[in-house]
Amino acid sequence: MLLYPVGASGEVIQFEQGVLDHFDRNRQHRCWHREGGGQLFARIDGHRILVSEATGPRPKDKRGRTFFEPDRGSEQVEIEALFARDLHYIGDWHTHPERCPVPSGRDNATMASRVRLSRHRLAGFVFVIVGQLSPPSGMTVLVHDGTSGHVLSPAYIE
């Protein structure tokens, strides 16, 4: 289990093992592996954000070695279905073909757009970029407020 404190807010993002396993299955270990991604869903309990579900990749997503474009229609269906199970959409994840992933300019623009165009009550969205190494080195976790992304550091690994 990985825990990421969110600045001085007192909030902590916690990833369940099933989510980490999902990321692991989608890593780009070979040159022919395409980027993949999906959405992140959590149960929010006070200051604890428990990331319990990661969706995708989906058959209708557009994917290449260095790009990923999700099927927005499928994403909306996921949001509605998982909300019915009391899971809240909190952000997105995708892979990069690099050992320790670094957000690209396109990633930053996409993150800002997702935050600004969505109707939500969150101060920002969580974005995870999954690289080739195992977590935490191979996983970049950010909170984006619509203006800038803030990289989080893991506090505890269980």
Side-chain angles (χ1 to χ4, degrees):
M1 178 182 338
L2 289 177
L3 302 175
Y4 288 82
V6 183
S9 71
E11 294 178 317
V12 175
I13 299 169
Q14 176 182 334
F15 291 87
E16 285 191 355
Q17 189 60 48
V19 172
L20 297 174
D21 293 343
H22 186 76
F23 294 161
D24 190 53
R25 286 189 299 275
N26 288 284
R27 287 183 199 288
Q28 292 180 263
H29 290 293
R30 304 281 186 243
C31 64
W32 59 84
H33 290 168
R34 299 175 297 158
E35 279 194 17
Q39 298 183 108
L40 299 170
F41 293 87
R43 286 187 169 78
I44 301 171
D45 181 18
H47 285 81
R48 187 169 154 248
I49 301 164
L50 180 61
V51 183
S52 304
E53 185 93 26
T55 64
R58 302 162 213 85
K60 292 183 180 179
D61 293 341
K62 294 179 183 160
R63 301 171 60 192
R65 176 79 175 143
T66 59
F67 74 91
F68 167 74
E69 294 177 24
D71 174 44
R72 298 290 185 209
S74 294
E75 286 186 327
Q76 190 58 46
V77 169
E78 291 170 356
I79 290 170
E80 292 167 9
L82 291 166
F83 185 74
R85 291 179 28 214
D86 202 29
L87 289 168
H88 299 271
Y89 167 73
I90 61 157
D92 296 332
W93 73 274
H94 72 281
T95 63
H96 270 196
E98 55 190 335
R99 294 169 57 83
C100 301
V102 176
S104 66
R106 182 177 182 178
D107 289 337
N108 285 314
T110 299
M111 289 185 260
S113 172
R114 293 288 282 198
V115 175
R116 286 193 308 267
L117 297 176
S118 295
R119 287 179 289 140
H120 58 87
R121 295 178 300 176
L122 303 172
F125 283 160
V126 176
F127 293 93
V128 176
I129 305 173
V130 177
Q132 296 168 330
L133 296 178
S134 296
S137 303
M139 192 168 115
T140 300
V141 178
L142 305 98
V143 172
H144 205 291
D145 60 14
T147 303
S148 59
H150 309 278
V151 177
L152 305 180
S153 297
Y156 184 73
I157 302 169
E158 185 177 282

